Amino acid sequence: MKKHFVPVGTHPIEVGHYKLPTKEVIRLMDNLKKIVLNRLPGMIVYGRPRIGKTFAVVFALENLPQYLNAPIPIFIVNSNSYKFPNEGKFFADLLRGFNFPFKARRQSDEMRNQIVNFLKEKAELSRLRRVILIMDEAQVLTESHYVWLMDIYNELAQAKISMTVICVGQEELLTRRTFFLGQRKSQIIGRFMTHEHRFFGITSLDDIRAVLRCYDLSEISAYPENSDWSYTRYFFPEGYEKGHRLEDAAPLIYKQFQDLRSEHGVHSKFEIPMEYFAYAVENALKVYGAHGEQLEWISDQHWVESIKISGYIESEIYMALASKGG
C-alpha cells in the first residue's frame, strides 16, 4: 500500500498530541465508570508528576459517553495557587477554564451565578443531567476552594443536576485529605474525597511491552485516521514490512532504563513517568525514522541515546534529592 504523505512536523508523534489507551488508562476508566454510573460526587486521582494523570483522565472521560450511549459535558480547569485565595479569583479561573466570556472585576456572586447557569445549560443537553468537572493540579486547593465548589454542587443539586468533581494532582492530595480528616471536615471528604485512584507510571517489562504495542497497531495508533499506517509503520515502513515491531524491543528498553538508573545511583522504586517514556519513543521515531535519518530500523545504541535525551534520569535524580530535602 502506498504510504500517505504527511508534511514534516505535522504527524502526531512530531506534534506530541496523541493519547494511547495504556493499561493504567483502562484501569482508571473502569474506576471512573463506577463513579459516573453511581452518580458519585467526586474522586481524587493522584500520583507522582509527569506520569500522565490528566491526559489519562481526559481520555477516559472522553470515551465514557460512548460506553454510556449518552453525552456528558466534561470541563477541565487548572487549579491556580494564590497567596490569598478568594472567591473572585477562583470563580474567574473556572470561567476561563470553561472558555466563558466574562467582564473583569465582576462581583463574586455574579460569577458564581454564571458558573451555575452555564453548567445547568450544558447538563440539560444530556439526558443523564450530569456534568463532570476536572480540577487539575488539585493539590493546591484549600478548604475554601472546596467550600466554594460545594456551594456550586448544592445549587446544581437543587436543579436535579449531578456534578462529579475529579481532583487530579500529586501525592499531596492524600496529605490534604488527612488534614481534613483531622479537622473533621467530613462534608468536604464526603463530597470530593471518599473515592481515590492511585495512578502509576510504567513499572514493569509488561507495561513497556503493552505501551509499545500501542505504537505498532493501526487499530490503536493510525495516522491518517482509519488508515493502516500505525505510528511505527509510518516512521519505519521498510523495517515494519520486514516484521520489526517496537514491542519486540521491550526487554532491551527495560534493561536500558535499569542500567541508566544504576549508573546514576538511583535506587528508588522503578517507575517511569509516561511523559518521559513517550519522549524516548518519540525521539527514536523522529531522529531515526522517515523524517530524520531514514534508517530501516532502530539499533540498540539508538535506543540508548533516545532514552538519555528524554530527561528521565535527570527527573529521577531531582526526585531523589527532593525526597532527601537536598
Side-chain angles (χ1 to χ4, degrees):
M1 181 181 292
K2 185 178 179 181
K3 182 178 179 180
H4 290 275
F5 173 74
V6 178
V8 176
T10 64
H11 192 281
I13 288 292
E14 295 170 312
V15 177
H17 292 161
Y18 62 94
K19 301 184 184 79
L20 302 177
T22 63
K23 181 189 75 174
E24 276 298 293
V25 172
I26 301 302
R27 192 171 69 89
L28 175 62
M29 185 180 291
D30 288 340
N31 269 343
L32 287 172
K33 284 178 184 176
K34 297 173 186 175
I35 296 295
V36 174
L37 287 173
N38 292 311
R39 307 182 76 84
L40 301 176
M43 178 172 74
I44 60 174
V45 178
Y46 67 95
R48 61 175 291 179
R50 307 294 183 184
I51 60 175
K53 300 180 295 293
T54 304
F55 275 117
V57 170
V58 173
F59 181 91
L61 290 175
E62 284 177 347
N63 285 275
L64 268 182
Q66 184 176 3
Y67 170 80
L68 298 170
N69 195 29
I72 302 178
I74 301 168
F75 302 96
I76 181 167
V77 175
N78 191 62
S79 305
N80 295 314
S81 177
Y82 296 103
K83 187 174 181 180
F84 301 107
N86 63 56
E87 283 183 299
K89 292 177 181 177
F90 181 59
F91 293 153
D93 287 341
L94 289 177
L95 289 169
R96 274 190 288 268
F98 300 160
N99 293 320
F100 186 91
F102 66 99
K103 296 180 181 178
R105 299 185 179 180
R106 302 210 61 175
Q107 295 296 318
S108 297
D109 57 346
E110 290 181 278
M111 287 191 286
R112 183 176 61 244
N113 289 336
Q114 285 180 321
I115 291 167
V116 171
N117 290 333
F118 175 81
L119 294 177
K120 277 183 183 178
E121 178 185 340
K122 297 301 180 181
E124 286 169 351
L125 295 176
S126 168
R127 62 178 175 79
L128 299 178
R129 298 184 68 81
R130 301 293 310 277
V131 62
I132 296 176
L133 176 62
I134 303 171
M135 298 300 300
D136 200 13
E137 299 297 338
Q139 69 275 358
V140 305
L141 297 178
T142 66
E143 178 183 344
S144 295
H145 290 112
Y146 286 107
V147 170
W148 299 326
L149 280 173
M150 202 181 313
D151 291 341
I152 295 170
Y153 176 94
N154 290 337
E155 285 199 50
L156 290 173
Q158 290 174 6
K160 294 182 171 51
I161 290 172
S162 301
M163 179 173 76
T164 296
V165 179
I166 310 294
C167 292
V168 183
Q170 299 177 26
E171 295 179 350
E172 290 89 333
L173 267 175
L174 286 182
T175 305
R176 183 72 68 183
R177 186 175 68 175
T178 301
F179 171 78
F180 290 149
L181 278 171
Q183 296 295 311
R184 300 181 183 276
K185 304 296 181 180
S186 58
Q187 72 277 19
I188 293 176
I189 295 171
R191 286 281 197 284
F192 308 114
M193 294 182 159
T194 300
H195 303 275
E196 66 177 73
H197 180 96
R198 168 70 189 271
F199 195 88
F200 293 95
I202 293 171
T203 61
S204 68
L205 171 58
D206 285 342
D207 286 351
I208 292 177
R209 184 176 285 113
V211 173
L212 292 175
R213 191 181 304 128
C214 292
Y215 291 89
D216 290 333
L217 298 177
S218 60
E219 298 91 338
I220 298 175
S221 64
Y223 193 81
E225 292 182 11
N226 302 318
S227 73
D228 293 328
W229 290 89
S230 69
Y231 296 167
T232 305
R233 185 184 184 191
Y234 181 85
F235 282 91
F236 294 94
E238 292 182 28
Y240 188 92
E241 290 302 317
K242 291 183 178 180
H244 290 299
R245 298 293 185 271
L246 294 185
E247 181 183 354
D248 297 333
L252 169 70
I253 295 171
Y254 181 57
K255 183 177 184 303
Q256 288 175 343
F257 271 104
Q258 289 182 316
D259 291 346
L260 195 61
R261 289 165 56 88
S262 297
E263 179 185 336
H264 289 83
V266 175
H267 304 295
S268 57
K269 185 177 179 181
F270 184 85
E271 183 176 12
I272 310 170
M274 185 61 192
E275 181 172 314
Y276 296 113
F277 188 81
Y279 285 162
V281 176
E282 290 165 14
N283 291 335
L285 298 181
K286 290 186 294 186
V287 174
Y288 306 111
H291 292 175
E293 296 186 16
Q294 300 181 357
L295 303 182
E296 180 180 298
W297 195 242
I298 310 164
S299 71
D300 295 2
Q301 186 57 38
H302 292 153
W303 277 119
V304 171
E305 296 303 320
S306 298
I307 292 169
K308 282 184 177 179
I309 64 175
S310 69
Y312 166 72
I313 198 62
E314 291 82 359
S315 75
E316 292 299 290
I317 293 170
Y318 174 79
M319 290 281 290
L321 289 173
S323 66
K324 295 177 182 179

